[in-house]
Each structure stands twice: as C-alpha cells, then as structure tokens.
Amino acid sequence: MLTVIENLLTADEVRHFRARLYDADWADGAASAGTRSIAVKQNLQLGRQDETARELGAEILRRLGHHPLFVSASLAEVIWPPVFNLYQDGGHYGTHSDAALMRLPEANLTLRSDLSATLFLSDPKDYDGGELLIEQAFGAQAVKLAAGDMVLYPSSSLHQVTPVTRGQRICAITWIQSAVADTAARELLFDLDQSVQSLSVGKAKDDPDIDRLIHVYHNLLRRWAKP
C-alpha cells in the first residue's frame, strides 16, 4: 500500500529547504550504497553528519511526529535521520530493495526497515524523469509528487528512480521501524483507524459504537505490536 501525505511542508518551508540546500556540500551517493546497489546508483547526497542535513532532517522528524496521517499509517517506533539526495544530468537509481536492517553507529542503534518514505522538494515541472517506480502486486506505480508531499511505501518492495534528463530532483528519504512489523496487519489497522476517524465526525464523544471500534483497534494493536 502506498500512502501519500500531502503538504507535509508548506510552500514557504519548501523554499526555505531549497535555499539551504542550494549551496550544500553534495557528495557522490555511491558511498552509501550496498555492494550490489552501487552498480545502479548515480546521484548526489549529503552526509549524515552534514550540518544542513542534520538541521533540516530534525525539522522533518518534528513534523512527522505530529502528523496524524503519518502516525496512523506508520505506527512509527524509530525513524532514520532523513537523507537528502539530488538527481541531475541523467542521475538515477536502478531497481533495488532497501536493506532490512540498518545500523546507525552514532546512536548505537539497529533499525528494521518496515516502511520507506520519500519527501519531494522539487516542483515536478522543474525536472523531467525522476519518477519513483514502486513495484506492487499488480504492477509498478510511478510516483512524482508536488514539492512538500511525501509518499510512504513498504521497504520490502522493489523500487527505482528513473533518470532525470532535465533539471534537478531533490528529495529527502527516510526509513521507519514500525511497532507493527507485519505489512498486512499494519494496513488493516490503518484502514480501521481511518474509518473510526471518519465515522466519528459529528458523533458524541461517548458514542458507544465508536467506543467499541476504538476498543477493537487497540486490542488488535496490542495483539500485533512488537515493542
């Protein structure tokens, strides 16, 4: 399941990010690729210790922590510090899968990647190509969102970034360890939570039917969550 979070950043916030990233210290993204991915990865990235990346990444994490749709869809337990990347001049990232376990030495932490997220920071009219292609059960889906929008998708899926043939594609990417590792269970909980929120509109705070649905939701979460 793909979940699009619109307007995670406002237009003004996107402009602020782009201004900060314009003169950033971009480096070859192959340095962070795995032994197989390095052959298909051609982009630029900011290092994890880069000051600009750390400050902007912290802003993204703060926003995600308070965003109801992100919280509902991810049930995030741990979020990897966002990584900023840039594609231009034919830059691309061929078909690959994300590592299941990701080590963050400075935090003495190993994260299990359940969900991947891409936050688009470039206006889609400003570049050609650069679609995020995510393979699903019924075929690949191309994702190219407005600046400030984010897409969440299972880290277990094969995906790629098509070549950017004009302009620049700048994004922030991150990975999430969910309290519910099973994708199907997490999606059922998301659907139930979204339905409860929709059905609650206009209902009394003590509506017994809504209370029963919330009861079911939390008991399923209790059954499937792995703290």
Side-chain angles (χ1 to χ4, degrees):
M1 181 180 74
L2 307 185
T3 303
V4 173
I5 300 174
E6 297 181 340
N7 302 311
L8 181 69
L9 299 179
T10 67
D12 286 343
E13 289 168 335
V14 169
R15 282 191 287 271
H16 166 69
F17 271 56
R18 289 297 303 271
R20 293 288 307 278
L21 293 168
Y22 182 78
D23 292 322
D25 188 17
W26 297 100
D28 189 347
S32 65
T35 54
R36 292 184 64 84
S37 297
I38 193 171
V40 297
K41 183 178 184 181
Q42 182 184 331
N43 70 359
L44 300 174
Q45 286 184 187
L46 297 185
R48 285 207 311 269
Q49 302 307 317
D50 181 272
E51 182 179 355
T52 297
R54 289 165 64 92
E55 291 178 1
L56 297 182
E59 290 187 35
I60 293 172
L61 293 177
R62 282 193 292 271
R63 185 61 53 86
L64 291 177
H66 295 90
H67 197 288
L69 183 58
F70 174 81
V71 172
S72 178
S74 69
L75 295 172
E77 191 172 54
V78 184
I79 307 176
W80 186 270
V83 176
F84 294 86
N85 57 35
L86 184 156
Y87 292 81
Q88 61 184 0
D89 301 326
H92 62 281
Y93 199 160
T95 303
H96 64 284
S97 57
D98 293 333
L101 297 176
M102 306 175 68
R103 183 67 181 164
L104 194 63
E106 59 267 31
N108 192 28
L109 173 70
T110 297
L111 175 145
R112 182 191 66 242
S113 61
D114 297 318
L115 289 161
S116 301
T118 298
L119 171 62
F120 289 79
L121 296 171
S122 296
D123 190 308
K125 299 190 298 294
D126 292 341
Y127 63 98
D128 293 333
E131 290 85 1
L132 174 62
L133 288 182
I134 304 169
E135 294 189 17
Q136 301 186 90
F138 300 102
Q141 181 167 344
V143 181
K144 187 173 182 179
L145 302 179
D149 291 356
M150 170 181 276
V151 61
L152 276 174
Y153 54 97
S155 298
S156 56
S157 61
L158 288 171
H159 51 281
Q160 63 173 295
V161 177
T162 64
V164 172
T165 57
R166 177 186 66 87
Q168 292 183 332
R169 174 196 190 266
I170 298 177
C171 292
I173 58 175
T174 189
W175 299 267
I176 298 101
Q177 177 174 309
S178 176
V180 177
D182 184 79
T183 299
R186 190 171 58 249
E187 291 177 358
L188 284 172
L189 285 167
F190 175 67
D191 286 342
L192 178 55
D193 182 53
Q194 293 300 295
S195 294
V196 169
Q197 292 188 41
S198 177
L199 292 170
S200 297
V201 176
K203 295 289 184 72
K205 296 293 185 182
D206 59 350
D207 184 279
D209 293 326
I210 299 299
D211 286 343
R212 185 169 295 278
L213 287 174
I214 294 172
H215 169 76
V216 171
Y217 173 86
H218 283 287
N219 279 334
L220 289 174
L221 178 58
R222 187 174 290 110
R223 175 185 291 259
W224 290 327
K226 297 180 180 179

